[in-house]
Amino acid sequence: MNTDSKNLSNAASKEDNDEIDLMALLFAILRGWKVIVFFAVLGLVIGILYSKYVNPTFKSDALIQIEEDSKGVAALGADISELIGSEVSKAQAEAELIRSRMILEPVVNLLHLRIRLSDPNIGALDRIKSNSTDTQINKPEGVSLKTEDGEAKISQFNVSQEYLNQSFTLTRSATGFVLTNGFDDFKGQIGKAHLFKGTDGQIQIKVDVLPADGYSVNITKQSLQTTTDQINSALSVVEKGKQTDIIQLSMTGANQQQTSLILKQIVLSYIDQNQSRGSEETTKTISFMETQIPTLKKKLEDSEAVFNDFRKKYGTIDVGKEAELLLTENSQIDAQLNELKLKKADLTTYYTEEHPLVVQINEQLAVLNARKNEIDDTIAGLPEIQREFLQLSADTTINREIYLTLLKNYEQLKIVKAGQIGFARIIDLPISTYKAIAPKKLQIMILAMLLGAMLGTMLVLLKNLLKNVVKDPERLESKTGVPVIATIPRSPLLSRLSKNKKSAKRMLAHVDHNSLSYEAIKSLRTSLMFAMPTDSSTKQQGKVILITGESPGVGKSFIAANLSEVFAQLNKKVLVIDADMRLGELHEMFGMTQYDGLADYLSQGTGRQDTGRIATTNAQTVSSEANDHIETASKYPSTDITAVIHPTTMDHIDFMPRGKHPHNPASLLVSEHLGQMMDELKTQYDYIIIDSPPVLAVSDAMVLAQHADKVLMVTRYDDSIEGQLVYAINQMNKSNIQVDGIILNDVQQGIMSKYSYHYSYAYGNKQ
């Protein structure tokens, strides 16, 4: 194989490993479907309860248009609009203005929004049962709240600064009501305003209606900042689109009617403030004119009186053509001068002398004054009476024109002020749709169910990660270096029978001989037959198979019993030894008792040997251990090995039970008598199968392994801990014991396990 081929092979292998890991993750999730479904259902229940617990939320909308210029003044003429000027507003700035206390405070005061009523008698279960609870209603007349025992209505509640945001309890009594904060009790009559003096300040309250006697209601006076913050949290003010100058106001709340009312008042409060700002300049101009009109009127009356007196004194005078022209021109100049002075007086109320408009008017005044001086010099040459006549006539005409012009503008501005609407107008006022926007029950339930399923999945994966149970044969082989020589599927029929604790344990040959499990045991037998070591000098000597496990409950007794049965089918003489002298239960598989077994034989043999040894030693050196063995020997009389071997109901199978439980099982196994017994048994049987205690529990398996030809480690699929199995095999290796194979027991077949291909397949009649 060349280098490129190797690289391709490695890449394919790596991709396959990645796929296997993903598949393992998927199947781990599928195997924990019960946990995932449980948490999904739990999440669904929580979502349903939450959707019933939370009050419905309603929404109201309004639209306001921000115009660039006010059209009211321009409609009356260019002259007036020049006096007033223009106002430009941006939607973003106005949106922030709407959220300010300047706009919200009038609404808060009008609707008594700082007064908060709540029903302390409503608990969480009540809210779930009723789906929604009544909320307070704020109107200009007062605040009301419906309860189970009647309505509570408060029209006035003012407290000192120290009592703000402090909860009071309001309860109806036989004579009226009782208001308490836990320290002070205030008693009053319903329908009357009261002023109470407490330890921290004054309380002013008027209670109109209360529920039945003994039913309490909580009442709180919030600070203005707290109330406006709550309004702003439920209020949305944004420009609709880009550069549209249309502001959309939205407000949410638990009561549709209440929400629409509050939003409507906010819109009206903003419009009132906007109109006040738009008419501010007009108001200032009218005020200025009102101060000037009486003065100009008096000046006109004085000039007319002087002119009339002059005419009475000198009679009518004909002015020449030149004088008439000069007078006309002079009069026009004076009118222009007066108009410019009026404009300058108006402008100087807003601008300084350096403003371009004021400078321009000053230049025009200078030109007109120069021409007027020139005309005055010409008129000076006229006769004194004629000149005086012209002067008085011009003064009267000018004063009349100034007065009439100012009076006309004054009346026009009054009309403007009366019809001024500002630069903001209402497009849509809020309406009540009574259609809840939240909670969206279906979405909440689906989301809660998904979150529950995700939590269940995380727990399944976490459990799988922490526990790391035995599942993959290839993984076991790579971690332990020991081959998995058999995978024994679970027998559904035997599993159902074993659920009945009172029923006796049975073998596969008796209850499920056509199952995959039974075929897997046969495959194990075949494997062991060909893998057994062969010595030419002792071909006929029996083969010893030791079956152990890393921990209790892995099914080693099940494997030992059924393996002996399939060996017996070959007309091989088989002996099954229950070497778990502490908790062995193999006798139940064969329907026998535990007595007269291995412990009995080893105890009497060890006692006999110790008695002989102690007799040859000095009595003063007898140890306590020897005394124990002497005592044991006295309990168990001399027994032949045939006395502890019992035939079973199955042909070719004999059984040696565990015997009576001794107090020193490990010491019995270490004795030389065990080796002598095994040598004798090998000459009598073709196969000897030893069921030993778990490796991690006691050291018995390591002692028994010294006499075995094959050492097999049984582990349970999806139950045994992988780390424990690896540790058990390492412990055996440290004692110079080679584990020849691993038997993966109780493998479950199905789509949830990617290792179902390790099953054997039955071939034959399944009836």
Side-chain angles (χ1 to χ4, degrees), residues 412-432:
Q412 285 180 335
L413 286 178
K414 288 175 65 177
I415 297 173
V416 170
K417 182 180 179 181
Q420 200 151 19
I421 59 175
F423 55 82
R425 66 167 180 161
I426 301 173
I427 299 178
D428 290 330
L429 279 173
I431 59 175
S432 298

Side-chain angles (χ1 to χ4, degrees), residues 138-357:
N138 294 73
K139 294 181 180 180
E141 297 81 16
V143 183
S144 61
L145 174 66
K146 291 183 179 180
T147 66
E148 293 181 357
D149 287 355
E151 184 181 19
K153 185 175 181 181
I154 313 297
S155 58
Q156 185 181 16
F157 185 56
N158 298 315
V159 299
S160 301
Q161 182 72 28
E162 292 76 9
Y163 286 127
L164 289 177
N165 300 318
Q166 187 177 129
S167 179
F168 289 82
T169 301
L170 194 59
T171 309
R172 183 166 185 168
S173 63
T175 58
F177 67 86
V178 178
L179 179 69
T180 178
N181 62 350
F183 300 98
D184 298 323
D185 293 337
F186 307 104
K187 297 180 180 180
Q189 296 181 356
I190 295 177
K192 293 184 178 180
H194 294 277
L195 180 63
F196 301 117
K197 292 184 178 180
T199 56
D200 294 331
Q202 294 183 345
I203 300 174
Q204 189 176 6
I205 186 171
K206 182 181 179 183
V207 181
D208 297 327
V209 181
L210 277 181
D213 294 351
Y215 198 93
S216 59
V217 175
N218 290 342
I219 182 170
T220 305
K221 181 74 172 185
Q222 293 182 337
S223 63
L224 178 62
Q225 184 65 47
T226 302
T227 306
T228 55
D229 289 344
Q230 289 178 351
I231 294 175
N232 279 321
S233 65
L235 179 65
S236 172
V237 185
V238 295
E239 184 177 8
K240 194 170 185 180
K242 293 184 177 180
Q243 304 299 327
T244 60
D245 288 335
I246 295 179
I247 297 177
Q248 182 178 29
L249 293 87
S250 302
M251 192 171 187
T252 57
N255 185 286
Q256 177 70 84
Q257 184 180 359
Q258 180 72 34
T259 303
S260 299
L261 177 60
I262 294 175
L263 184 59
K264 178 182 178 181
Q265 293 300 325
I266 291 174
V267 172
L268 295 179
S269 176
Y270 168 72
I271 294 299
D272 289 342
Q273 291 289 340
N274 182 266
Q275 289 180 352
S276 298
R277 282 192 296 162
S279 62
E280 184 177 358
E281 294 182 3
T282 305
T283 302
K284 288 183 178 180
T285 305
I286 290 176
S287 298
F288 171 74
M289 288 183 174
E290 288 176 347
T291 60
Q292 296 297 316
I293 287 176
T295 304
L296 294 177
K297 183 178 180 181
K298 181 67 171 59
K299 188 175 181 181
L300 174 60
E301 291 175 351
D302 292 343
S303 62
E304 286 180 345
V306 172
F307 183 62
N308 290 333
D309 292 341
F310 178 82
R311 292 182 62 184
K312 288 179 181 180
K313 181 177 180 180
Y314 296 102
T316 302
I317 301 176
D318 292 330
V319 181
K321 192 69 175 176
E322 182 180 359
E324 185 177 355
L325 291 175
L326 292 174
L327 181 61
T328 302
E329 184 179 359
N330 195 24
S331 176
Q332 292 176 353
I333 291 173
D334 289 334
Q336 292 178 5
L337 287 172
N338 290 326
E339 184 177 358
L340 289 175
K341 289 179 180 179
L342 180 62
K343 285 186 177 182
K344 180 179 178 181
D346 183 69
L347 289 175
T348 52
T349 60
Y350 302 98
Y351 307 112
T352 62
E353 291 292 332
E354 289 78 12
H355 193 275
L357 293 178

Side-chain angles (χ1 to χ4, degrees), residues 1 3-21:
M1 182 183 290
T3 305
D4 295 337
S5 298
K6 290 181 179 179
N7 292 336
L8 290 174
S9 177
N10 293 335
S13 177
K14 182 177 180 181
E15 182 178 354
D16 183 62
N17 289 336
D18 292 341
E19 182 180 355
I20 288 176
D21 291 337

Side-chain angles (χ1 to χ4, degrees), residues 451-550:
L451 290 175
M454 290 175 60
L455 178 60
T457 303
M458 292 175 61
L459 290 177
V460 169
L461 293 177
L462 183 61
K463 178 183 176 182
N464 185 72
L465 178 64
L466 295 178
K467 191 174 180 182
N468 201 15
V469 294
V470 170
K471 293 176 184 176
D472 186 1
E474 285 83 359
R475 181 181 174 89
L476 290 181
E477 291 178 352
S478 65
K479 281 188 168 292
T480 62
V482 179
V484 177
I485 61 174
T487 57
I488 312 300
R490 172 180 292 184
S491 171
L493 179 58
L494 196 60
S495 297
R496 287 196 297 270
L497 293 174
S498 63
K499 289 181 180 179
N500 186 3
K501 296 181 179 180
K502 295 182 179 180
S503 64
K505 296 183 179 180
R506 303 184 184 183
M507 300 180 67
L508 288 171
H510 297 157
V511 296
D512 202 7
H513 61 277
N514 284 324
S515 65
L516 296 176
S517 305
Y518 194 51
E519 292 299 325
I521 296 290
K522 291 179 180 179
S523 298
L524 174 61
R525 174 194 65 186
T526 303
S527 236
L528 292 173
M529 288 175 60
F530 289 106
M532 283 291 183
T534 303
D535 189 350
S536 59
S537 62
T538 58
K539 274 190 176 181
Q540 302 301 322
Q541 192 160 355
K543 306 302 181 185
V544 181
I545 302 173
L546 176 69
I547 298 178
T548 185
E550 85 282 356

